[in-house]
Amino acid sequence: MADNKKRIKFKSIAILEAVIILLLFIVLIWATLIRGRAEAVPANANSDKPQVRKRAVIEKEEAFYQLDGKKILMNDSTYGEIFVPVYEDVPASTINTDNITMRNGYAFYSENGENVSTLGVDISEFQGDIDWTQVKQAGIDFAFIRIGYRTYGDGIVTYDSAFQRNIEGAQAAGIKVGAYFYSQAITVEEAVDEADHVIDALAPYDINYPVVYDWEIVHDAARTDSVSVETLADCCVAFCERIKDSGYTPMIYQNRETAMHKLDLPRIKDYDFWLAEYDEKPIYYYDFKIWQYSNTGRIPGIEGNVDLNICFKPY
């Protein structure tokens, strides 16, 4: 009996001690919370007046390019959004894109309510036999005819098999004519050689529109794939100066991305520019005289797709 009484006594004391410890723990937590709140210092306690913070107003343009003084925001396939510096000495476009309208797949540009643009196509042997009378009746004012090309593999200059037929057919139908050469030049000497071939081919004809240097990288296997920015600019200048010395108006053709990333724009700013940008309206920042807005156009007299262009300058 004595042992049972001792065990009950010790058990009661242990329970009492546990209860006391739990109470002390609760009191300690409570005291810490209350004291912490009392000693907390407001963020503006040391200021005479409470700080008023305003939420920043973020303005965005509904456009691919967002201009901010000295830079252009573009979208790059590798890096996403990138900033490209604006060249102050390269003329910016003065075209009011709000004045561009589309009707039946054709683009028109108006000023003071009147159309001041002309419609055109650019063609090569790939379009086959063309009924130029139908093309003229469809409202086409001008045509750029491919004179030839340099092969992207072995670099051989080759005349377009249909350039004579197309030039003569277009002019006979009353369509004004320009010309272009598809270049794969990797040296100045090759660019001059290409220009000389164009000049020789055009000698019998009266050319109204510019003679165009169309330099492109067709794919990674092309001989132009590793051409530097400096060499490309040299080739552009060499071709255009050769063309200009022969009495023609030189022009450079390029798509928007290559123009912004590969062309040395300050060096070629004195030549008219032909922009390729397939969209409802062009958003290229710098000056251009012709806009190629589609490569899937349909024109009576031409079988299949054809490139469509609008010209903003009276040549």
Side-chain angles (χ1 to χ4, degrees):
M1 290 291 293
D3 291 338
N4 288 336
K5 289 182 178 180
K6 286 182 180 181
R7 279 195 293 268
I8 293 173
K9 180 178 180 180
F10 287 136
K11 188 175 182 180
S12 300
I13 293 174
I15 294 174
L16 180 61
E17 289 177 347
V19 172
I20 293 173
I21 292 172
L22 179 61
L23 292 173
L24 289 174
F25 182 72
I26 294 173
V27 171
L28 179 63
I29 293 176
W30 179 80
T32 301
L33 291 174
I34 296 300
R35 182 180 179 183
R37 290 181 179 178
E39 294 180 355
V41 179
N44 58 0
N46 296 325
S47 176
D48 295 335
K49 296 181 180 179
Q51 295 182 13
V52 178
R53 294 184 173 89
K54 295 182 179 180
R55 186 178 183 85
V57 177
I58 302 175
E59 297 181 354
K60 296 183 179 181
E61 294 184 22
E62 296 297 328
F64 188 87
Y65 289 104
Q66 294 181 15
L67 307 184
D68 185 15
K70 305 296 181 181
K71 56 190 176 182
I72 300 172
L73 179 62
M74 292 185 61
N75 194 355
D76 180 79
S77 60
T78 301
Y79 298 105
E81 287 187 343
I82 59 173
F83 274 119
V84 178
V86 169
Y87 298 109
E88 291 187 0
D89 57 341
V90 178
S93 173
T94 58
I95 294 171
N96 183 356
T97 57
D98 291 337
N99 292 346
I100 296 176
T101 58
M102 292 286 183
R103 296 194 299 272
N104 300 321
Y106 292 175
F108 299 90
Y109 184 70
S110 61
E111 290 180 352
N112 300 319
E114 295 185 4
N115 177 52
V116 293
S117 61
T118 52
L119 288 171
V121 294
D122 57 276
I123 56 90
S124 70
E125 61 191 28
F126 295 111
Q127 272 68 49
D129 291 331
I130 297 174
D131 186 333
W132 286 103
T133 300
Q134 285 192 46
V135 173
K136 176 64 176 178
Q137 292 173 349
I140 297 302
D141 303 298
F142 65 90
F144 279 101
I145 312 297
R146 187 176 74 164
I147 299 301
Y149 57 94
R150 186 184 293 275
T151 56
Y152 66 82
D154 46 18
I156 298 175
V157 172
T158 306
Y159 282 119
D160 188 296
S161 62
F163 87 84
Q164 289 179 308
R165 180 176 73 244
N166 284 327
I167 287 180
E168 293 170 4
Q171 290 183 330
I175 295 175
K176 294 183 178 181
V177 170
Y180 74 97
F181 187 90
Y182 188 91
S183 173
Q184 288 285 287
I186 59 176
T187 66
V188 167
E189 290 74 22
E190 288 188 348
V192 171
D193 180 51
E194 293 170 350
D196 286 342
H197 277 82
V198 171
I199 293 167
D200 291 341
L202 292 179
Y205 306 106
D206 183 19
I207 303 301
N208 315 101
Y209 272 65
V211 176
V212 184
Y213 188 58
D214 174 12
W215 184 95
E216 298 188 31
I217 301 176
V218 289
H219 50 64
D220 289 340
R223 66 201 307 267
T224 53
D225 185 50
S226 59
V227 170
S228 68
V229 170
E230 182 179 6
T231 298
L232 173 56
D234 290 343
C235 290
C236 289
V237 172
F239 183 96
C240 289
E241 286 300 308
R242 195 77 156 192
I243 293 298
K244 185 169 68 174
D245 287 344
S246 296
Y248 302 104
T249 300
M251 174 177 272
I252 294 171
Y253 166 94
Q254 199 52 262
N255 62 68
R256 181 185 65 202
E257 287 74 18
T258 305
M260 293 299 298
H261 295 304
K262 188 73 174 179
L263 286 182
D264 187 347
L265 295 176
R267 289 192 60 197
I268 64 168
K269 64 181 179 180
D270 294 331
Y271 308 116
D272 287 356
F273 188 70
W274 178 5
L275 170 69
E277 184 178 343
Y278 304 143
D279 211 331
E280 292 184 359
K281 294 186 178 181
I283 53 178
Y284 181 68
Y285 178 76
Y286 298 103
D287 182 58
F288 55 97
K289 305 303 182 188
I290 297 175
W291 171 37
Q292 184 184 88
Y293 59 90
S294 175
N295 62 349
T296 57
R298 308 292 290 193
I299 299 291
I302 301 178
E303 185 176 351
N305 293 333
V306 65
D307 296 338
L308 296 179
N309 304 272
I310 178 174
C311 182
F312 304 94
K313 177 180 178 179
Y315 285 104

